[in-house]
Amino acid sequence: MCSSCFAIPSVTIQLLVTSAALIYGQRSLYKNARKWTRRITSCITIIISLVLSAIGIFLLVLATNDDYRSRNFASMSMGRNLRASPLDEHRCSILEEGNVSGRVLEFGPGPGTNFKCFQNSTAAQSIERYVAVEPNSYFEEKMREEKDVRGLHFPLEFVGLKGEDVDNNIVSVDNGSFDVVILTHVLCSVDSVEDVLANAEKALKPSGGRIIFMEHVSAKEGTFTWYVQKVAAPILNI
């Protein structure tokens, strides 16, 4: 469990403080204003303050409630990741070049985002076993649905563990037995990148095994995307 899971997100504190400051500031600035001016500004200020407070409390619940966060993250990811995206061409080209076949282990597959790339892949038709290591159990049903929708017939095994913990579950993840390990957009959300990569290396066959890697990066500082990442990181524990 990451240490930030029990911490109040800074964005929650900022929103609550801003809400209180708005109410206090409105009373100070408009105390000598006309009656209707005070009433209108008071209503607007209260509405804005309530909205900010509600958002702050919602983010606090997301940050401190594992199950609620997992369920909401799964719902958000299912809609976003399974739709066609400009990133698909790049994602699929990496997976195609990596020759995904044989015994495959994927860390953090989510709702089966990469399955769209296997639909028309010649190499993917020779997948013998596909083990999905995913701690969020809300993804399992959707992952299996996505596999069927894409017409994929390989056996799928769902392992409900964090990537750091698979070394203790050797019944499902046999060390030294996988041809391919896939890590796409997952290392940004793990507690220990080193442990996950070490387990990925252990899982690979000693000779000829390969890791297929693709990752998020931080947006340019000061951009809108950068601010969104700063807000999301402590909430989703990434």
Side-chain angles (χ1 to χ4, degrees):
M1 177 64 68
C2 54
S3 59
S4 63
C5 294
F6 297 103
I8 298 177
S10 60
V11 66
T12 293
I13 297 174
Q14 292 169 0
L15 287 170
L16 294 177
V17 170
T18 300
S19 177
L22 280 173
I23 293 177
Y24 178 79
Q26 185 273 332
R27 293 180 63 184
S28 300
L29 289 173
Y30 294 96
K31 61 182 179 181
N32 296 323
R34 292 185 178 182
K35 180 179 178 181
W36 283 105
T37 300
R38 290 201 307 272
R39 287 184 176 180
I40 293 173
T41 55
S42 293
C43 289
I44 294 174
T45 302
I46 290 172
I47 291 172
I48 294 174
S49 298
L50 288 174
V51 170
L52 292 178
S53 297
I55 294 173
I57 293 171
F58 173 71
L59 296 181
L60 174 61
V61 172
L62 275 183
T64 56
N65 188 312
D66 287 345
D67 183 72
Y68 189 67
R69 182 176 61 254
S70 295
R71 185 168 64 251
N72 279 273
F73 180 71
S75 298
M76 178 183 68
S77 298
M78 288 173 194
R80 182 189 61 192
N81 292 0
L82 298 181
R83 289 196 301 265
S85 163
L87 190 61
D88 288 348
E89 183 178 354
H90 182 59
R91 174 195 299 274
C92 293
S93 67
I94 291 175
L95 291 168
E96 186 69 25
E97 185 178 345
N99 188 31
V100 179
S101 58
R103 295 163 65 90
V104 181
L105 172 64
E106 180 172 8
F107 287 87
T113 307
N114 288 328
F115 289 172
K116 67 182 74 171
C117 300
F118 303 150
Q119 188 170 13
N120 300 312
S121 170
T122 303
Q125 294 177 8
S126 61
I127 294 177
E128 302 168 7
R129 180 188 181 201
Y130 203 100
V131 178
V133 176
E134 173 58 63
N136 191 334
S137 61
Y138 290 102
F139 281 128
E140 181 177 5
E141 182 179 354
K142 191 61 182 179
M143 191 186 309
R144 296 189 184 280
E145 290 179 5
E146 179 69 4
K147 173 179 169 289
D148 293 339
V149 167
R150 300 293 177 181
L152 305 173
H153 304 293
F154 51 75
L156 173 63
E157 299 173 42
F158 184 91
V159 178
L161 292 173
K162 290 185 176 182
E164 296 89 340
D165 299 330
V166 297
D167 194 35
N168 299 321
N169 194 46
I170 58 175
V171 173
S172 295
V173 183
D174 311 307
N175 287 340
S177 65
F178 288 90
D179 299 288
V180 179
V181 173
I182 300 174
L183 301 112
T184 57
H185 293 168
V186 66
L187 292 180
C188 62
S189 60
V190 301
D191 293 337
S192 173
V193 173
E194 293 78 8
D195 288 346
V196 173
L197 290 177
N199 288 336
E201 185 177 14
K202 290 177 186 177
L204 284 174
K205 290 181 177 179
S207 177
R210 53 202 179 276
I211 291 180
I212 299 175
F213 171 82
M214 177 179 171
E215 195 48 76
H216 292 106
V217 296
S218 177
K220 184 178 180 181
E221 186 172 351
T223 62
F224 175 75
T225 303
W226 180 81
Y227 283 111
V228 171
Q229 289 176 333
K230 295 289 285 184
V231 170
I235 298 163
L236 299 177
N237 299 322
I238 60 177

